[in-house]
Amino acid sequence: MIDIHVRKLRQFIVVAEELHFSRAAARLYVAQQALSRQVKELEEELGATLFRRSTRSVELTAAGRALLEGARATVEAWDRAVARTTSAARAEQGVLRVGSCPAAALELTSPILRELEERLPDVEVEMREHLLTDPSAGLLDHSADVAFVRVPATLPGMEVVPLFTEPLVVSVAAGHCLAERDRVSVAEVLDEPITVSRTEDAAYRAFWQLAGFRDEAPAVLLDHTSVIEEGILVASGRAVSVTVAAAARYGGHPDLRFVPIVDAPRSTLAVALPAAEPSPLARAFLDAAVTVRDREAGLVAAIEDPEL
């Protein structure tokens, strides 16, 4: 019987996906030399060559391809087991971890938390706002039991329930040529350098750079990791940002202007939780959120159709 650490399987999967040790090491935040050593140890433990290496390329061998399918299934099964275990443990302790994108559910956040407290007064709610680099707001790494998320985003295995949608705006510096406009079209934004979150979630990243409106010409992108960093890039005039209308209410920067994009798709704010065996507390949170959404129709309407 061969015992292999899950960490080695994760590393193998990333190398197999990238077929490039430097890029894989960057994704894993490890040194390339250390990653090569881990893969070599895995090959020795299995008694099989997993990659065919040359100075120009890296390819999976037949043995590597065979391992890849099983490794993915093993890691996914392990992650599900860990998620169920930690979620059940927190539920037994009366603790609910709620992840959120920046600004959570906007003006609905407090009513939802009050509704949950009235229903479950003994439950301790731990809220954590996540950087834009993690659109799942902690769901995919199991640090959150339930989360406020912005979609589209890649959320495999998650149940996603919309609360409201918002129009998009372009955030520009006060001196920008679009700053005094009442509205703009997507076409007027496409040639601008756009700052977008530094995330591996391709669907999320594509939405905020308006990729669906572009032909073959790629966008000029400046990466950021937080709302604050995004604001600095835009206020300095180095880029513009595509964001939601609520940014005009929550942005609060004197050097920024927010102009509606009349023909852009809307952004959806949703509650997400694991579709398979969510914790009872996560399900209770979702129920409370849906109740508040349906009850506070006027508040939802003000969010969905703001006066900019």
Side-chain angles (χ1 to χ4, degrees), residues 40-307:
K40 186 65 175 177
E41 289 179 4
L42 179 60
E43 290 179 320
E44 292 174 352
E45 290 170 356
L46 292 172
T49 300
L50 304 175
F51 296 99
R52 188 174 296 107
R53 307 165 177 82
S54 72
T55 56
R56 296 185 177 181
S57 66
V58 176
E59 297 178 354
L60 278 169
T61 62
R65 290 192 296 271
L67 177 62
L68 181 57
E69 181 178 356
R72 282 174 169 156
T74 299
V75 170
E76 289 171 2
W78 173 250
D79 287 345
R80 286 194 299 271
V82 169
R84 288 195 297 268
T85 301
T86 56
S87 180
R90 289 195 291 263
E92 286 182 350
Q93 297 162 5
V95 176
L96 177 67
R97 293 187 180 178
V98 181
S100 81
C101 55
L106 305 179
E107 289 86 353
L108 281 188
T109 307
S110 293
I112 290 171
L113 294 177
R114 286 196 298 269
E115 179 71 22
L116 183 69
E117 184 177 7
E118 290 177 4
R119 296 183 180 195
L120 300 172
D122 296 329
V123 171
E124 179 184 352
V125 176
E126 297 180 357
M127 284 201 67
R128 177 187 173 190
E129 183 177 281
H130 288 253
L131 292 175
L132 297 174
T133 49
D134 179 15
S136 81
L139 287 174
L140 296 186
D141 67 7
H142 314 300
S143 61
D145 303 307
V146 63
F148 293 117
V149 296
R150 288 276 176 186
V151 291
T154 304
L155 298 167
M158 299 296 159
E159 178 183 351
V160 180
V161 179
L163 296 185
F164 55 78
T165 66
E166 285 187 89
L168 299 191
V169 300
V170 60
S171 173
V172 300
H176 193 277
C177 62
L178 299 177
E180 301 304 320
R181 295 280 297 278
D182 292 331
R183 64 199 63 198
V184 296
S185 66
V186 169
E188 294 176 282
V189 179
L190 294 181
D191 290 336
E192 298 286 341
I194 294 181
T195 179
V196 296
S197 62
R198 192 177 304 132
T199 174
E200 293 185 7
D201 190 329
Y204 185 86
R205 189 174 171 89
F207 180 84
W208 296 106
Q209 70 184 59
L210 302 173
F213 293 86
R214 300 179 186 277
D215 296 323
E216 295 182 0
V220 178
L221 304 177
L222 280 76
D223 288 348
H224 68 261
T225 60
S226 69
V227 173
I228 293 175
E229 187 178 354
E230 174 186 299
I232 292 172
L233 287 169
V234 175
S236 67
R238 295 174 57 196
V240 305
S241 173
V242 176
T243 185
V244 292
R249 304 194 298 277
Y250 288 85
H253 196 297
D255 295 327
L256 296 180
R257 301 292 183 270
F258 300 92
V259 186
I261 308 175
V262 294
D263 53 348
R266 296 172 70 90
S267 171
T268 298
L269 190 286
V271 173
L273 71 169
E277 301 183 44
S279 79
L281 296 184
R283 179 62 64 185
F285 183 91
L286 173 61
D287 292 342
V290 170
T291 296
V292 171
R293 177 199 66 187
D294 296 342
R295 184 179 65 214
E296 301 290 345
L299 191 55
V300 171
I303 294 172
E304 294 191 327
D305 189 20
E307 295 182 4

